[in-house]
Amino acid sequence: MTFTPTVKAILDKYESDNPGTKANLARILTAGRLGGTGKLIILPVDQGFEHGPARSFSVNPAGYDPHYHYQLAIDAGLSAYAAPLGALEAGADTFAGQIPTILKVNSSNSWATAINQAVTGTVDDALRLGCSAIGFTIYPGSDDILEQMEEIREMSAEAKAVGIATVIWSYPRGPNITKAGELALDVGAYAAHMATLLGAHIIKVKLPSANIEQKEAKPMYEGTDWSNQADRVRHVVQSCFAGRRIVVFSGGASKGTDDVFQDARDIAAGGGNGSIIGRNTFQRSRPDALAMLDQLVRIYKGEA
């Protein structure tokens, strides 16, 4: 554990939280090779739910085994491993205490017609498995967003009461948001702010484009050049209580290594806290994934 002044400064911004919740945040902030830096790399493996096993793991069949992902996150020196209930249960004893874990407590699937997720795990499950946090997806813009907000309000309150942190995946999606608008800067900043207002300790969003979607918001963004991705990251971080909350950005769809590395450089330059990157790592061979994660760690440490 590397408890540094940087970690203390981050924890001090969570003014209402009890020592248990702060201790679990500290577990994530001090774990792995980025421990103590204020930067994070989290491995999320919930794509089997979202896309199916073949689409997620056939390109690298080792990924069918949950132990593979635990071990990849540990050997790469990552900050945490996030997965649904069954995947964490499958390795909970073998890997107990070796890496902080995040229980993804809601999930959907590729056949669902509603823009929503079912609750598939509980705070009690997270306690039983020794998790540092629960993870929950909301879809700002969906017809079911108000129900989702009420669900995470209740689960987050329960988690905080027993000293477990909350991570919110905030993905804009719905009938009044275009496909391009899902990644628009103003929409992404709004979604991140919404997760912050819901009490998330860690906010996960997608890297935004320079597009401005909302007609009402366009005047606020005019006159500024948003072509630089680092500036867009900085605006999203600003929208999360002026940087008082931890903000990590998803790796998105599979892409080339140069693009992944440039994203990380832009996240770091824009004041983001790091990456939560799944398919771009576990769909590569283990040697290639470890090499990529090593480079990402070095980027966030300012060494590459």
Side-chain angles (χ1 to χ4, degrees), residues 16-40:
S16 72
D17 285 292
N18 61 40
T21 303
K22 287 193 172 188
N24 271 314
L25 279 174
R27 285 173 66 190
I28 296 171
L29 287 163
T30 59
R33 293 173 58 196
L34 288 171
T37 65
K39 302 299 183 185
L40 308 173

Side-chain angles (χ1 to χ4, degrees), residues 153-211:
R153 179 203 66 204
E154 294 176 5
M155 293 195 77
S156 181
E158 184 182 353
K160 290 173 182 178
V162 295
I164 293 176
T166 297
V167 184
I168 293 182
W169 279 236
S170 193
Y171 291 162
R173 200 173 299 174
N176 294 320
I177 302 175
T178 67
K179 195 65 180 175
E182 292 177 5
L183 295 177
L185 175 59
D186 60 313
V187 173
Y190 192 178
H193 186 68
M194 201 176 298
T196 310
L197 290 171
L198 284 167
H201 298 96
I202 300 174
I203 295 92
K204 178 196 176 188
V205 289
K206 296 181 180 181
L207 282 164
S209 72
N211 179 40

Side-chain angles (χ1 to χ4, degrees), residues 4-304:
T4 62
T6 297
V7 171
K8 185 179 185 305
I10 292 172
L11 295 178
D12 285 347
K13 294 172 182 174
Y14 293 85
E15 297 189 19
S16 72
D17 285 292
N18 61 40
T21 303
K22 287 193 172 188
N24 271 314
L25 279 174
R27 285 173 66 190
I28 296 171
L29 287 163
T30 59
R33 293 173 58 196
L34 288 171
T37 65
K39 302 299 183 185
L40 308 173
I41 300 177
I42 298 170
L43 175 67
V45 187
D46 58 344
Q47 289 79 3
F49 248 136
E50 306 299 324
H51 306 295
R55 287 172 61 192
S56 301
F57 307 125
S58 62
V59 68
N60 178 20
Y64 282 103
D65 185 348
H67 281 217
Y68 177 82
H69 303 291
Y70 269 104
Q71 197 65 61
L72 178 65
I74 291 165
D75 291 347
L78 302 190
S79 309
Y81 167 49
L85 179 62
L88 290 189
E89 286 183 331
D93 184 56
T94 299
F95 300 101
Q98 296 184 47
I99 187 169
T101 52
I102 299 167
L103 174 62
K104 187 65 167 55
V105 293
N106 70 338
S107 294
S108 186
N109 61 75
S110 60
W111 300 324
T113 56
I115 305 175
N116 203 347
Q117 298 209 356
V119 174
T120 56
T122 67
V123 172
D124 283 344
D125 290 325
L127 274 174
R128 173 173 58 87
L129 295 170
C131 297
S132 295
I134 60 168
F136 191 96
T137 296
I138 62 170
Y139 295 117
S142 77
D143 290 338
D144 296 318
I145 183 58
L146 301 182
E147 175 189 336
Q148 295 161 22
M149 292 164 69
E150 291 173 355
E151 286 176 342
I152 188 53
R153 179 203 66 204
E154 294 176 5
M155 293 195 77
S156 181
E158 184 182 353
K160 290 173 182 178
V162 295
I164 293 176
T166 297
V167 184
I168 293 182
W169 279 236
S170 193
Y171 291 162
R173 200 173 299 174
N176 294 320
I177 302 175
T178 67
K179 195 65 180 175
E182 292 177 5
L183 295 177
L185 175 59
D186 60 313
V187 173
Y190 192 178
H193 186 68
M194 201 176 298
T196 310
L197 290 171
L198 284 167
H201 298 96
I202 300 174
I203 295 92
K204 178 196 176 188
V205 289
K206 296 181 180 181
L207 282 164
S209 72
N211 179 40
I212 306 300
E213 171 84 355
Q214 303 169 93
K215 181 178 67 175
E216 298 83 357
K218 286 184 184 292
M220 290 75 174
Y221 288 88
E222 289 175 352
T224 301
D225 180 4
W226 295 107
S227 61
N228 187 304
Q229 183 165 247
D231 290 334
R232 302 196 297 269
V233 167
R234 188 172 294 107
H235 178 59
V236 173
V237 172
Q238 179 188 42
S239 299
C240 295
F241 295 168
R244 288 184 173 273
R245 293 295 179 264
I246 297 166
V247 187
V248 294
F249 293 83
S250 67
S254 299
K255 60 183 74 171
T257 54
D258 289 345
D259 290 334
V260 173
F261 297 150
Q262 187 57 53
D263 284 348
R265 292 187 180 97
D266 291 338
I267 292 167
N273 293 95
S275 300
I276 179 162
I277 181 168
R279 282 174 287 175
N280 279 295
T281 54
F282 69 72
Q283 288 186 341
R284 287 175 163 84
S285 70
R286 177 179 161 84
D288 287 348
L290 287 172
M292 170 179 278
L293 290 167
D294 174 71
Q295 179 72 352
L296 288 172
V297 167
R298 292 174 60 235
I299 288 170
Y300 281 123
K301 293 176 77 173
E303 297 173 356

